[in-house]
Amino acid sequence: MRIGIVCYPTFGGSGVVATELGKALAEKGHRIHFITYSQPVRLDYFSENISYHEVAIAKYPLFDYIPYETALTSKLVDVARFEGLDILHVHYAIPHASVAYLAKQILAVQGIVLPVVTTLHGTDITLVGKDSSYEPVVTFAINHSDGVTAVSESLKRDTYNNFKITNEIEVIPNFIDLKRFSKKAKDHFRKAIAPNGERLVVHTSNFRKVKRVQDVVHVFDKLRKEVPSKLLLIGDGPERHNIEQLCRELNLCDDIRFLGKQEMIEEILSICDLFIMPSETESFGLAALEAMACQVPVISSNAGGIPELNIQGVTGFMSNGDIEDKAKNAAIILKDDESLWKFKDAGFITSEGI
Ligand code: GMT
């Protein structure tokens, strides 16, 4: 099959899953065409079955806001026509689902049929999509997709609750490439960061408010009084400055490393002992699944789709908003090697089953 994939090309989970899906389909012999504004970060190797089409945007002084949707629609029409796409799979509804609808209509006038599948990822429904400035278009685009999938049962429920949906939504949980995420420990890196055998705690995100990274720092502050530990903060985003300030105020700078955006995330995760994800909303929590596949137990909130992967008392613990509780549970996991390995093994086995 010739498959077009539209996604955000960034480190965000929707772009990561879209890219990994395209790579896996290419390995099965399908011809994959990624259509985005820059090369997806996880598209890190050459395959004869994968092409990347960059959306070129003509600038003009009149445009205070760049008409990306128009440029993307035109690119989709062009790629679909000349590459003979059989299907178009768009990830994250805004603006991709409505853009795909328009491209489909333009192609139909030319006698070309292009079925569109939309995958909903989270904030396109729970945060941004339901805002009245986007809602009518999101509703229309979901209802006019030929197939709609959501990454968790929780997101499916949220979609039916927030929009007037007449279409069927199928849940297809996110997945990871276990070959990539199987343990690849870089012990020399661990020794450099935790020279006295401290436990290694990690958090990865886009450092937006909704991720509550400050809570990670507070939990770590309490945990390290019980269990000697170091914290790795991976990613970057709007809250970074405030988080750095908090680390200084709590006098934690010697025990916390900001590693920025990392491409080989599995190499770091596989030397870690605990992943913290206190998100306010999280429709799936791909970062937690990646951690579990690297045998890292998870302390998380119980928002959205997280309970569909983090099993209470087995792969980690969930509690909503409560820093004390998270620190207490973190100490239970990390207190001795027997306890830690029980959670590590359970996380890996659970990630295989998702
Ligand atoms: O976090 C976002 O705002 C964007 C989005 C993304 O592109 O990473 O994240 C959502 O999609 C991920 C992949 O399906 C999910 O793992 C995340 O839980 C979801 N984020 C939220 O629901 C906050």
Side-chain angles (χ1 to χ4, degrees):
M1 264 192 147
R2 284 154 295 185
I3 304 167
I5 295 181
V6 176
C7 63
Y8 283 99
T10 61
F11 283 93
S14 61
V16 167
V17 162
T19 310
E20 295 295 348
L21 177 61
K23 284 156 68 172
L25 289 168
E27 264 180 44
K28 285 185 178 293
H30 298 286
R31 278 288 292 138
I32 305 301
H33 296 270
F34 286 101
I35 306 143
T36 67
Y37 58 79
S38 68
Q39 173 136 343
V41 287
R42 282 276 175 96
L43 193 53
D44 48 7
Y45 71 95
F46 167 76
S47 158
E48 57 181 355
N49 282 339
I50 297 180
S51 303
Y52 159 61
H53 306 264
E54 186 158 307
V55 181
I57 306 169
K59 294 201 174 119
Y60 185 65
L62 180 67
F63 301 151
D64 273 348
Y65 300 97
I66 293 169
Y68 176 65
E69 284 86 340
T70 307
L72 177 59
T73 309
S74 300
K75 194 68 175 176
L76 289 181
V77 169
D78 182 64
V79 174
R81 199 163 1 136
F82 289 99
E83 302 291 350
L85 293 185
D86 297 303
I87 192 164
L88 180 64
H89 188 180
V90 301
H91 291 259
Y92 204 88
I94 303 171
H96 301 149
S98 52
V99 163
Y101 174 80
L102 181 55
K104 183 184 160 112
Q105 299 311 308
I106 295 170
L107 288 160
V109 173
Q110 300 167 9
I112 298 169
V113 177
L114 182 65
V116 171
V117 174
T118 298
T119 292
L120 309 172
H121 279 273
T123 44
D124 45 352
I125 296 300
T126 55
L127 217 63
V128 206
K130 68 179 185 187
D131 188 278
S132 58
S133 54
Y134 296 109
E135 181 278 321
V137 175
V138 173
T139 305
F140 179 89
I142 292 174
N143 285 335
H144 287 79
S145 292
D146 298 288
V148 184
T149 77
V151 296
S152 63
E153 293 291 343
S154 155
L155 182 58
K156 178 178 173 175
R157 278 194 301 276
D158 284 339
T159 311
Y160 282 122
N161 289 340
N162 289 322
F163 301 84
K164 284 201 173 62
I165 298 298
T166 52
N167 225 340
E168 275 292 309
I169 299 176
E170 190 177 337
V171 174
I172 301 181
N174 283 333
F175 68 95
I176 50 175
D177 176 3
L178 282 170
K179 288 200 296 292
R180 177 174 186 151
F181 280 87
S182 52
K183 212 160 159 47
K184 287 183 179 173
K186 292 239 162 156
D187 281 336
H188 61 280
F189 182 53
R190 184 181 173 113
K191 282 197 188 101
I193 302 245
N196 302 312
E198 295 92 338
R199 299 293 197 200
L200 262 189
V201 181
V202 64
H203 168 83
T204 72
S205 78
N206 50 27
F207 288 34
R208 291 198 212 126
K209 267 201 171 4
V210 70
K211 303 291 178 183
R212 291 191 184 141
V213 188
Q214 280 89 339
D215 283 11
V216 177
V217 175
H218 283 300
V219 171
F220 175 71
D221 185 34
K222 291 189 183 305
L223 169 68
R224 64 194 272 282
K225 289 170 187 149
E226 303 296 319
V227 181
S229 325
K230 300 278 182 182
L231 174 63
L232 302 178
L233 291 173
I234 301 173
D236 210 339
E239 286 298 299
R240 164 88 182 246
H241 175 75
N242 293 339
I243 299 156
E244 281 178 344
Q245 287 300 117
L246 179 64
C247 296
R248 287 176 200 168
E249 278 161 32
L250 295 174
N251 201 19
L252 293 174
C253 297
D254 288 346
D255 290 324
I256 298 183
R257 297 275 184 105
F258 286 82
L259 299 186
K261 294 177 181 173
Q262 293 286 333
E263 283 178 24
M264 302 302 278
I265 188 78
E266 64 279 13
E267 290 189 352
I268 304 171
L269 286 175
S270 60
I271 57 163
C272 291
D273 302 306
L274 188 74
F275 185 85
I276 305 184
M277 177 183 263
S279 309
E280 195 176 324
T281 66
E282 200 70 69
S283 289
F284 183 85
L286 184 68
L289 186 62
E290 292 182 337
M292 285 159 60
C294 291
Q295 294 185 299
V296 186
V298 175
I299 290 286
S300 68
S301 67
N302 53 13
I306 298 178
E308 294 172 42
L309 26 145
N310 190 14
I311 304 165
Q312 185 75 338
V314 177
T315 60
F317 290 99
M318 290 176 293
S319 49
N320 212 11
D322 187 338
I323 287 165
E324 272 311 324
D325 201 46
K326 286 191 178 68
K328 192 186 83 208
N329 288 332
I332 290 174
I333 294 174
L334 296 176
K335 65 177 189 294
D336 57 51
D337 284 353
E338 195 188 332
S339 162
L340 178 58
W341 276 98
K342 197 178 75 188
F343 284 94
K344 275 178 171 282
D345 288 342
F348 178 68
I349 291 164
T350 306
S351 73
E352 277 186 309
I354 284 186

